[in-house]
Amino acid sequence: MEDRIALEMIGALSAARKATHLYPPAHPKYREAVADLVSAVRECVVEGPFTLNVHLGRLYQGSRVLPSDAPGAHAMAEALEAHRVESITLEPDASEHDAITLVEVLAMRPSATLEVAAELARRGASAITIAEFIDEDAVDAEERDRLREQDRALYKRLLSVLRTLTAKIQETGEPNVGEAGAIVEGILARLMDDGAAVLGLATMNSQNESNLFHSINTMIYALILGNELGIPEEGLSSLGVAALLHDIGKVAFDMSDPIQAEQARFLHPKVGADILSRLPEQDRTPLLVAYEHHMAPNGAGFPEREDGYVTHPYSRMVAIADRYDRLTTAKPEGFALTPDQAVIQLLRDTANLLDQTLTRLFVKSLGVFPVGCIVRLTDHSVGVVCASGADALHPRVRLMYDDEGIALESPRELETAEVEVGIVEIVNPDSLAVTVSDHL
Ligand SMILES: [Fe+2]
Ligand SMILES: [Fe+2]
């Protein structure tokens, strides 16, 4: 087929679309434009189906590129792309109704909810086939939301298992770890797949059940560190359960009573170890970690022990995870540190509280801008760090506010390295009155 026929068809389509905007249907100019289109459509399907494609702003008839300076070509390419149409195929039996309907639908304002193929079908234009662009970003966002829901469900199940476990110990003194091990394995599997998503979970918190959230978040941070250290899976699951139960001794105290809470502070390691000594399992790691997680490498901390006592490496790892979660969680008596401030504090703590080598490793795994940091970018937009990026200074950011400070309805993710925007500063979530975990 000659280019002429295709170009006439494009010109007629574009003119008819313009006429739809300018004139009422009874207007002679509108009727003239439609008549031209109908004859152009008839001519182009004489030899069989006619397909018009658009790719990167250029129109193609089949695989042949059409001159972009032809009348209407530029406008049509733009209109098709705006409607996410990749190709239009007109069948030989295309009718006047089909042609008019195509023009009417392409004259509609493009929107996320307008699907050209569905709209044509709804209006009975049966001899036109549309191929739509697949919006990769939308597909990715959908998948991300699905996984996020799954991850949150896992977190909630763990909360409920811990709730039951706590109540059981308070009632009978017997620990029953039950389902917890299996859920820890589930979280571990997700961590291997997408560590950033699991780190995002650890930003969750609640004033009411702060101890339960603290246990799970400490577990997540301990697993991140254990994974960075290269501990094999079996060891990680033991580390995870131990981290989850590190503060279990607190269940023996009424934490709403200030006197008991103060006692719990120093006694919970011993009480916890005592409770966990009743576990039927062979693995003694949870007991050791509960007992040792407040012992500093330099002999400080508690409970007291003889000189030369060496703590289990898992206890030292849980101590770091525990500290990081406490630093980044707001307490009734004070503000939370932002993740970057907490990282600096951890490094300071290596002087007397924490294992130096393991802390450095943990800090390395969190990165310069840890997941959960709210950042202002060079184009003035604001978002939350949701994963590491191409390099330490360019993490992946989920935008929350655009460059004019307007909250985005559907969050967009940005590889800051790819779009060459930098981070200007870290913003305190309190100053924006946002809850970070809502955005991760
Ligand atoms: Fe503790
Ligand atoms: Fe703790």
Side-chain angles (χ1 to χ4, degrees):
M1 186 192 288
E2 305 164 43
D3 278 1
R4 180 189 60 81
I5 297 173
L7 291 174
E8 269 176 20
M9 155 69 189
I10 291 161
L13 194 57
S14 173
R17 185 169 164 270
K18 207 184 282 174
T20 311
H21 286 140
L22 294 176
Y23 309 110
H27 197 283
K29 293 235 173 181
Y30 176 81
R31 294 220 300 263
E32 192 186 315
V34 166
D36 285 350
L37 174 66
V38 170
S39 70
V41 166
R42 292 221 167 103
E43 196 177 357
C44 70
V45 294
V46 167
E47 292 172 19
F50 170 85
T51 298
L52 190 64
N53 299 299
V54 60
H55 183 65
L56 299 176
R58 296 294 301 266
L59 289 172
Y60 295 76
Q61 195 249 307
S63 58
R64 205 166 68 236
V65 65
L66 295 167
S68 54
D69 53 358
H74 181 69
M76 271 331 289
E78 243 179 24
L80 294 179
E81 288 194 329
H83 285 86
R84 301 188 305 279
V85 171
E86 198 172 29
S87 77
I88 299 177
T89 301
L90 300 167
E91 302 299 335
D93 60 345
S95 66
E96 183 172 337
H97 171 74
D98 291 327
I100 294 173
T101 308
L102 177 64
V103 166
E104 284 172 352
V105 173
L106 289 178
M108 290 168 78
R109 181 192 285 275
S111 79
T113 49
L114 173 63
E115 284 174 14
V116 173
E119 189 60 29
L120 287 172
R122 203 176 64 78
R123 294 175 180 225
S126 54
I128 303 172
T129 313
I130 299 288
E132 286 171 359
F133 284 120
I134 294 178
D135 186 344
E136 300 278 355
D137 283 354
V139 172
D140 286 353
E142 221 170 85
E143 175 67 0
R144 190 188 69 217
D145 288 349
R146 194 181 63 77
L147 289 171
R148 182 180 189 267
E149 286 316 306
Q150 263 182 23
D151 289 346
R152 295 204 160 213
L154 208 56
Y155 194 104
K156 281 185 195 147
R157 258 174 57 210
L158 198 45
L159 274 176
S160 114
V161 166
L162 279 183
R163 230 175 258 134
T164 316
L165 178 72
T166 305
K168 259 266 154 21
I169 296 174
Q170 281 165 340
E171 215 176 282
T172 65
E174 288 302 317
N176 181 1
V177 180
E179 237 192 300
I183 305 178
V184 171
E185 308 245 312
I187 290 186
L188 206 48
R190 278 293 290 144
L191 188 137
M192 300 296 177
D193 216 31
D194 187 355
V198 176
L199 265 176
L201 282 179
T203 56
M204 292 211 279
N205 191 23
S206 145
Q207 292 287 352
N208 295 332
E209 295 185 297
S210 56
N211 277 339
L212 298 188
F213 282 79
H214 168 67
S215 300
I216 301 179
N217 297 343
T218 300
M219 177 202 75
I220 290 174
Y221 294 131
L223 289 176
I224 293 282
L225 171 55
N227 192 35
E228 182 78 18
L229 192 62
I231 295 176
E233 208 167 316
E234 206 185 296
L236 285 180
S237 97
S238 165
L239 169 66
V241 172
L244 196 62
L245 302 175
H246 76 282
D247 275 339
I248 200 74
K250 289 188 179 169
V251 307
F253 299 86
D254 175 4
M255 299 299 281
S256 62
D257 171 9
I259 297 171
Q260 284 208 40
E262 185 59 20
Q263 286 176 331
R265 204 158 95 79
F266 292 104
L267 292 177
H268 75 273
K270 266 187 181 161
V271 175
D274 185 43
I275 292 170
L276 294 173
S277 70
R278 281 170 249 151
L279 268 182
E281 271 105 271
Q282 297 294 309
D283 186 3
R284 308 311 278 166
T285 324
L287 184 157
L288 271 178
V289 168
Y291 188 67
E292 296 177 341
H293 73 277
H294 285 291
M295 293 180 178
N298 64 359
F302 53 89
E304 275 186 25
R305 65 266 186 209
E306 63 209 33
D307 286 349
Y309 183 100
V310 179
T311 54
H312 193 287
Y314 287 6
S315 305
R316 288 183 245 163
M317 294 165 81
V318 170
I320 296 162
D322 170 67
R323 181 90 177 124
Y324 183 74
D325 185 59
R326 282 187 291 136
L327 289 171
T328 51
T329 304
K331 295 187 197 57
E333 67 275 13
F335 291 108
L337 298 185
T338 56
D340 59 305
Q341 292 167 335
V343 159
I344 293 168
Q345 185 57 48
L346 278 191
L347 291 170
R348 286 195 185 118
D349 289 342
T350 59
N352 50 16
L353 272 181
L354 303 172
D355 181 292
Q356 198 170 45
T357 311
L358 291 171
T359 304
R360 286 194 181 147
L361 202 63
F362 181 62
V363 166
K364 183 175 154 256
S365 70
L366 291 185
V368 177
F369 299 106
V371 167
C373 263
I374 298 191
V375 289
R376 193 183 311 281
L377 304 174
T378 38
D379 66 353
H380 304 297
S381 56
V382 171
V384 58
V385 173
C386 60
S388 54
D391 61 69
L393 293 177
H394 292 92
R396 191 175 173 86
V397 170
R398 187 166 305 147
L399 289 179
M400 295 152 68
Y401 298 95
D402 69 10
D403 51 4
E404 287 173 355
I406 298 178
L408 294 170
E409 257 179 54
S410 50
R412 206 156 50 79
E413 284 192 8
L414 210 63
E415 284 294 348
T416 51
E418 269 173 29
V419 289
E420 292 179 6
V421 292
I423 289 172
V424 179
E425 60 172 344
I426 291 176
V427 185
N428 193 315
D430 296 334
S431 71
L432 295 172
V434 296
T435 306
V436 173
S437 64
D438 291 349
H439 297 272
L440 282 171

